[in-house]
């Protein structure tokens, strides 16, 4: 068999510049696997642990659940649209923000997810170094190269990785919780926060939402492979609330046992619980680090590669190699040290984008497939206004959820703005 034939068999078309044809659509289980394995990762456990350490277990678990339900509503609706159209995020953004305007939106999110990729690569190195004493630089490079190679294969590899990552997480989580309960406190439900007043309930909901605000908004890159809108929406349930809530709750449970001494800063990073318990568990832990963090890293890199490939007119796999190197350099620079600040930024500026697309594509302009103009100013005005309000709320009303504020205000503003635009159009038409 020739190399060309092997490549064709291994590397499916990625349809960077056009909707996915129906004959290339995948069954529900394959699309669901892509999303299922994405949030069941150590990063989610860290977030769950941070929330639990500052709110207590009961309030923390409720904040996690509400944040995940909020993600399901937004990502589910966007995935319904992606499944019915077959379009990736860049193609969809063109309909709402314009043929030229989409470069700003797609460019922003496609760059943000490169930061997430760099964060996962950096966490791979720091986790291996902190838990097992391995070389920080070497582990970071190995992780980066491995994740780029998986992403290069495409959506097929992400689906396979999802089938591996999610069950592996559950197995490791059971082991960790058993060890934590044995060595710590068992009265988990009555765990009270280590500090009070550091995080409000609303801020915790935003933190959960912000963890997947970017890739959730870009869900079309994954769910455009669904056979129809219904299956696109259904595939998201496996991630939100199921997968992400479980992953975050594991971090919260471990923190509630008291076995993590600095949970307000490290959150539910449970790798220290696994370290030093024999060669078998050590090997499983090392595999877990790379499979687990690699699941997030590859998904984020795929988002960035699909976005930038469409904007530049290049092949997805070529862009994967380029931005993979950029992300690896960023990881070596220590970007993972700014994890919390990164999430706060995402919670402010990104939620309105998804809400605007939903209102435009599913509520106000349902049949806008042929309506493609260069710029759609209303979408940008609403985004800027909603992001500004979210920023004010973040500083002056931290008890509220910035993500909810961004989603609701952008939906209201876009609805009002659309009515005003239609009203002006009718007035102009009647005076002619």
């Amino acid at each position: 068999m020739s190399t060309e034939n092997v490549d064709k068999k291994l590397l499916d078309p990625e349809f960077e510049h056009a909707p996915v044809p129906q004959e290339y659509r995948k069954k529900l289980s394959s699309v669901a696997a892509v999303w299922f394995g994405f949030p069941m990762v150590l990063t989610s456990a860290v977030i769950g642990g941070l929330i639990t350490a500052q709110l207590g277990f009961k309030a923390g678990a409720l904040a996690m659940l509400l944040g995940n339900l909020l993600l399901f509503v937004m990502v589910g609706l966007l995935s319904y649209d992606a499944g019915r159209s077959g379009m990736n995020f860049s193609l969809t953004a063109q309909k709402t923000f314009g043929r030229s305007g989409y470069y700003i939106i797609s460019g922003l999110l496609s760059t943000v997810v490169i930061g997430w990729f760099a964060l996962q690569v950096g966490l791979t190195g720091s986790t291996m170094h902190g838990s097992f004493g391995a070389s920080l630089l070497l582990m970071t490079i190995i992780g980066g190269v491995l994740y780029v190679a998986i992403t290069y294969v495409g959506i097929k590899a992400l689906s396979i990785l999802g089938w591996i990552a999610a069950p592996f997480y559950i197995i490791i989580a059971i082991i960790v919780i058993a060890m934590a309960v044995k060595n710590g406190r068992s009265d988990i439900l009555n765990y009270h926060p280590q500090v009070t007043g550091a995080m409000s309930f609303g801020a915790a909901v935003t933190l959960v939402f912000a963890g997947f605000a970017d890739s959730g908004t870009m869900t079309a890159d994954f769910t455009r492979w669904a056979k129809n809108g219904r299956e696109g929406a259904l595939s998201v349930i496996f991630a939100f609330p199921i997968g992400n809530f479980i992953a975050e709750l594991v971090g919260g449970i471990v923190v509630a046992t008291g076995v993590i001494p600095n949970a307000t800063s490290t959150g539910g990073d449970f790798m220290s619980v696994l370290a030093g318990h024999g060669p078998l568990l050590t090997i499983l832990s090392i595999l877990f680090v790379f499979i687990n963090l690699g699941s997030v890293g590859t998904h984020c890199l795929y988002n960035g590669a699909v976005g930038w490939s469409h904007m530049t007119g290049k092949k997805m796999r070529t862009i994967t190699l380029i931005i993979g190197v950029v992300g690896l350099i960023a990881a070596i620079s220590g970007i993972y040290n700014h994890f919390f600040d990164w999430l706060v930024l995402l919670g402010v500026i990104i939620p309105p984008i998804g809400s605007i697309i939903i209102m435009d594509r599913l509520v106000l302009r349902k049949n806008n497939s042929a309506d493609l103009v260069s710029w759609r100013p209303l979408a940008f005005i609403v985004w800027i206004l909603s992001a500004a309000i979210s920023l004010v709320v973040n500083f002056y009303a931290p008890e509220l959820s910035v993500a909810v504020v961004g989603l609701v205000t952008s939906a209201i503003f876009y609805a009002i703005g659309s009515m005003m635009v239609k009203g002006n159009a009718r007035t102009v038409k009647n005076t002619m």
Side-chain angles (χ1 to χ4, degrees):
M1 184 180 292
S2 68
T3 304
E4 182 179 354
N5 289 334
V6 171
D7 287 344
K8 286 182 178 179
K9 187 174 181 179
L10 178 64
L11 305 177
D12 289 341
E14 288 296 327
F15 301 102
E16 304 95 327
H17 311 297
V20 178
Q22 195 63 42
E23 62 268 24
Y24 281 89
R25 304 292 184 94
K26 302 181 182 298
K27 56 186 179 181
L28 176 60
S29 58
S30 296
V31 180
V34 174
W35 258 124
F36 189 35
F38 193 176
M40 295 198 70
V41 290
L42 187 60
T43 313
S44 295
V46 170
I47 293 174
L50 286 171
I51 292 172
T52 302
Q54 300 187 60
L55 291 185
F57 185 79
K58 293 178 182 177
L62 181 59
M64 295 175 213
L65 180 59
L66 291 178
N68 276 288
L69 290 174
L70 195 63
L71 278 167
F72 169 69
V73 171
M74 187 192 81
V75 181
L77 289 172
L78 291 172
S79 295
Y80 173 83
D81 181 51
R84 67 172 186 159
S85 70
M87 296 191 301
N88 60 33
F89 175 75
S90 292
L91 288 170
T92 303
Q94 285 187 39
K95 305 293 185 180
T96 299
F97 292 90
R99 190 173 51 250
S100 298
Y102 98 96
Y103 281 100
I104 297 175
I105 302 300
S106 187
L108 170 66
L109 293 186
S110 297
T111 302
V112 165
V113 289
I114 296 172
W116 263 114
F117 166 73
L119 179 67
Q120 302 309 311
V121 174
L123 283 174
T124 301
S126 64
T127 301
M128 290 297 297
H129 175 70
S131 300
F132 307 105
S135 168
L136 175 62
L137 178 60
L138 180 60
M139 292 298 106
T140 302
I141 294 174
I142 290 176
V145 172
L146 180 62
Y147 305 159
V148 170
I150 294 172
T151 308
Y152 186 88
V153 176
I155 194 71
K156 179 190 295 185
L158 267 61
S159 180
I160 294 172
L161 185 59
W163 281 116
I164 298 172
F168 202 180
Y169 185 94
I170 293 173
I171 292 171
I172 293 295
I174 292 172
I175 296 173
V176 167
I177 291 173
M179 295 174 65
V181 171
K182 179 180 179 181
N183 298 320
R185 54 181 289 169
S186 57
D187 189 17
I188 295 170
L189 291 176
N190 293 318
Y191 172 81
H192 296 291
Q194 294 184 5
V195 293
T196 56
M199 179 185 293
S200 68
F201 184 85
V205 173
T206 297
L207 190 61
V208 172
F209 187 91
F212 285 91
D214 47 359
S215 285
T217 303
M218 301 178 76
T219 183
D221 290 344
F222 307 129
T223 50
R224 64 193 167 117
W225 298 92
K227 292 185 180 297
N228 51 54
R230 176 180 169 274
E231 292 196 3
L234 285 175
S235 68
V236 175
I237 296 177
F238 293 89
F240 316 113
I242 297 175
N244 197 42
F245 180 65
I246 291 173
E248 290 175 340
L249 195 62
V250 169
I253 291 173
V254 175
V255 166
T257 64
V259 297
I260 298 180
N262 300 312
T264 53
S265 58
T266 61
D269 184 355
F270 51 69
M271 292 308 299
S272 59
V273 178
L274 295 172
H277 291 282
L280 177 59
L281 195 54
T282 298
I283 293 172
L284 287 175
S285 300
I286 292 173
L287 289 173
F288 174 77
V289 170
F290 284 97
I291 293 173
N292 196 264
L293 295 177
S295 180
V296 180
T298 53
H299 282 71
C300 292
L301 184 59
Y302 184 82
N303 276 141
V306 172
W308 279 109
S309 68
H310 188 83
M311 287 184 286
T312 59
K314 304 295 183 181
K315 293 289 186 181
M316 183 279 291
R317 293 183 172 92
T318 302
I319 299 298
T320 295
L321 298 177
I322 295 172
I323 64 176
V325 172
V326 173
L328 178 56
I329 294 172
I332 294 173
S333 71
I335 193 174
Y336 53 88
N337 293 318
H338 304 285
F339 178 60
F340 188 78
D341 295 335
W342 187 262
L343 289 177
V344 171
L345 173 65
L346 299 185
V348 171
I349 66 173
I350 292 182
I353 296 175
S355 181
I356 290 168
I357 293 175
I358 289 170
M359 290 296 293
D360 183 63
R361 297 276 299 161
L362 298 177
V363 180
L364 300 173
R365 296 197 314 137
K366 297 179 182 179
N367 298 314
N368 62 0
S369 57
D371 185 10
L372 189 59
V373 297
S374 183
W375 289 86
R376 298 196 67 236
L378 175 61
F380 283 97
I381 293 171
V382 171
W383 176 38
I384 293 170
L385 284 176
S386 297
I389 292 173
S390 298
L391 189 62
V392 171
V393 169
N394 183 61
F395 284 107
Y396 296 103
E399 69 277 5
L400 300 177
S401 172
V402 175
V404 173
V405 170
L407 290 169
V408 173
T409 56
S410 56
I412 294 173
F413 289 161
Y414 197 80
I416 294 173
S418 295
M419 288 188 290
M420 292 174 62
V421 170
K422 288 182 180 178
N424 291 336
R426 282 196 295 266
T427 301
V428 172
K429 184 177 181 180
N430 292 334
T431 57
M432 293 178 64

